[in-house]
Amino acid sequence: MPELPEVEIVKRSLFNKVKNQKISKVGVFNRSLRYRIEDRFEDFLKNQKILNITRKSKFIILHFLNDNYCIIHLGMTGTLHLLDNKNPNKNTNLSFYHSKILPKKHNHVEFNFSKFSLVYNDPRRFGFFKLIKSKYELDSFFKPFYPEALDSGFNLNYLKKKLKNKSKNIKNFLLDQNFVSGIGNIYASEILYYCKLNPLKKGKNLNIKNMKRIVKYTHFVLIKAIKRGGSTIKDFKNAKGSIGNFQKEFKVYERKNLKCLRKNCDGIIKKININNRSTFYCNNCQK
DNA sequence: CCGTTAACCTGAGAGC
DNA sequence: TGCTCTCAGGTTAACG
């Protein structure tokens, strides 16, 4: 579901709601997410106070005492919800994915706090919770995901080094979390539109000007999406403080057969499949 | 090492 | 109603 901007918005919601809150109880209703939730998960987190909440690429990190952490990944359909203890029907969706109902059978993890609970719902179970027990382990976990799209390490020299002689296309590179982390299927298409680059263009065929644009517009698109509160696909209602608006500004995503929005461009937006992922681009201005 | 494909899951929507 | 098919914001083991 969420790419870097959406995860950032979820992280901010969590920061406002659960920072400095103590987890009084943990419930796990289904341990088989993308990785199996370890048996001591509940005991490990019980009575721990959440000292901070941060984000790295698409991961949310809960910080506890003594360099203990819990990494949360929302996968494709993971959502977090706050339930008022006194009024269980009051449900605040902190996330973006929304099917008309979120059946309780997909509530897999629950953190209880003094006045409310935080519930993790995930129909497809591609998300995960992972416990981390030291700073070293935390750094090791994130090492393969460097640089993140917004890190200064994602720069011209890095692209020159990594794209040299590569036959892989730029769309696949942007989706490769080991190449650059945080970008997903929507923003990859959006970024390449601003870059005026065809998603199928091979790494080795990108020139300096192309690479500069990739760095520039990756920042531009992701930052703007965060400012707009992320993107929300499908129906989305009753989501106080967390409705995304960036989807209104999509230039190519979900705009198949529509006219290119760039001034003086007569192109039509095409939809193609790249590695089984929908990819949108203008057949005229993206070369 | 490199690049691509299939697989992991469930649900919504289209077409018949 | 119901069947089959495709698609979905993510990752990764396995393959050639």
Side-chain angles (χ1 to χ4, degrees):
Chain A
M1 148 218 171
E3 306 181 36
L4 186 152
E6 290 75 38
V7 179
E8 173 64 20
I9 302 302
V10 174
K11 175 233 133 183
R12 289 180 188 182
S13 300
L14 286 176
F15 189 91
N16 292 330
K17 300 288 185 182
V18 305
K19 194 188 174 191
N20 291 325
Q21 296 277 332
K22 194 173 98 173
I23 301 172
S24 57
K25 192 184 160 199
V26 178
V28 178
F29 315 119
N30 187 347
R31 310 196 88 82
S32 57
L33 301 186
R34 190 167 110 214
Y35 306 125
R36 186 178 168 77
I37 294 177
E38 56 189 274
D39 292 338
R40 49 185 177 157
F41 184 82
E42 294 92 323
D43 285 341
F44 183 89
L45 293 174
K46 188 177 179 182
N47 293 326
Q48 291 244 46
K49 186 174 166 185
I50 299 177
L51 303 177
N52 199 6
I53 302 103
T54 57
R55 176 196 58 75
K56 197 65 191 171
S57 46
K58 301 175 189 174
F59 303 94
I60 293 165
I61 311 160
L62 306 180
H63 297 239
F64 303 103
L65 263 184
N66 301 322
D67 284 322
N68 288 328
Y69 306 88
C70 178
I71 295 176
I72 304 172
H73 193 291
L74 302 172
M76 198 83 108
T77 53
T79 50
L80 289 164
H81 307 260
L82 287 179
L83 301 184
D84 195 310
N85 285 354
K86 287 180 182 169
N87 186 358
N89 294 324
K90 193 176 170 190
N91 181 339
T92 305
N93 189 339
L94 297 182
S95 313
F96 289 82
Y97 180 89
H98 178 76
S99 56
K100 282 173 184 167
I101 359 161
L102 287 172
K104 280 189 178 177
K105 65 175 174 178
H106 299 310
N107 286 352
H108 307 309
V109 179
E110 181 178 71
F111 293 162
N112 295 303
F113 300 95
S114 62
K115 292 179 179 167
F116 55 84
S117 305
L118 181 68
V119 173
Y120 179 73
N121 184 289
D122 187 355
R124 294 177 75 180
R125 308 205 309 276
F126 288 167
F128 67 83
F129 288 70
K130 180 176 173 57
L131 300 178
I132 299 280
K133 285 105 175 177
S134 70
K135 189 71 169 57
Y136 174 79
E137 197 186 337
L138 187 73
D139 292 342
S140 302
F141 180 88
F142 284 111
K143 208 168 186 176
F145 300 107
Y146 184 85
E148 180 201 87
L150 298 177
D151 284 335
S152 59
F154 185 62
N155 55 36
L156 178 62
N157 279 339
Y158 178 77
L159 291 182
K160 276 201 268 189
K161 192 176 70 181
K162 299 288 278 193
L163 299 177
K164 194 177 179 182
N165 297 329
K166 295 296 195 300
S167 62
K168 188 156 83 172
N169 66 60
I170 185 59
K171 165 80 180 335
N172 277 340
F173 267 114
L174 291 182
L175 285 183
D176 180 353
Q177 302 299 299
N178 299 134
F179 170 72
V180 59
S181 65
I183 300 169
N185 200 43
I186 291 179
Y187 293 110
S189 282
E190 292 297 308
I191 289 165
L192 291 173
Y193 165 82
Y194 283 99
C195 294
K196 296 185 179 175
L197 281 172
N198 188 302
L200 289 168
K201 192 154 183 170
K202 296 175 192 297
K204 62 183 175 187
N205 293 332
L206 293 164
N207 61 30
I208 300 292
K209 188 179 169 188
N210 298 153
M211 295 186 210
K212 282 183 177 172
R213 286 188 161 174
I214 291 169
V215 174
K216 177 181 173 181
Y217 289 113
T218 293
H219 280 76
F220 173 80
V221 169
L222 295 181
I223 295 293
K224 191 160 84 165
I226 291 171
K227 283 182 180 163
R228 298 288 187 277
S231 302
T232 305
I233 312 283
K234 307 188 183 190
D235 304 329
F236 193 72
K237 296 171 183 172
N238 306 322
K240 289 176 190 170
S242 58
I243 298 175
N245 281 305
F246 190 74
Q247 68 278 6
K248 295 172 186 165
E249 300 187 38
F250 285 169
K251 301 292 185 186
V252 290
Y253 192 80
E254 294 276 82
R255 294 197 66 250
K256 180 184 174 183
N257 291 336
L258 296 177
K259 197 177 170 309
C260 178
L261 292 171
R262 203 187 301 277
K263 279 182 187 172
N264 303 321
C265 177
D266 295 326
I268 299 294
I269 307 306
K270 297 291 177 190
K271 178 182 182 180
I272 59 172
N273 258 330
I274 299 182
N275 276 19
N276 257 332
R277 311 282 272 145
S278 291
T279 307
F280 299 84
Y281 71 102
C282 171
N283 66 350
N284 182 48
C285 64
Q286 290 182 246
K287 309 278 187 195

